[in-house]
Amino acid sequence: MRALAQGVADHIVQAVHDERATRAGRYQEGMTAGGDAEFPVDVLAERVAWEYQKAQGRRSPCTPRARGSA
């Protein structure tokens, strides 16, 4: 689990570093379900985290497991 968390963090840091200088990244992009401001960096971090997990063979915790699978 520690390796997964470190891998996700490393990929997010690299992606955010690459995008931090863009002007568009400084403006609010939308609102979260909880009402908080959402910025492009938030969306980027979520996308990178999900892509990394998929590449590692992980599935979304929101995806129901098939009956009989571990």
Side-chain angles (χ1 to χ4, degrees):
M1 183 59 81
R2 180 174 283 175
L4 174 63
Q6 186 64 55
V8 169
D10 290 344
H11 279 76
I12 290 172
V13 166
Q14 184 60 48
V16 169
H17 179 270
D18 293 346
E19 292 290 322
R20 71 181 177 169
T22 64
R23 181 178 297 271
R26 300 179 188 153
Y27 296 100
Q28 183 176 342
E29 186 170 88
M31 300 288 282
T32 66
D36 293 335
E38 184 174 64
F39 295 90
V41 69
D42 300 322
V43 176
L44 173 64
E46 290 172 6
R47 181 177 50 80
V48 168
W50 176 234
E51 288 173 357
Y52 179 80
Q53 290 181 66
K54 286 194 311 186
Q56 298 301 309
R58 305 283 179 162
R59 64 179 182 79
S60 168
C62 300
T63 304
R65 292 182 185 185
R67 184 165 278 168
S69 66

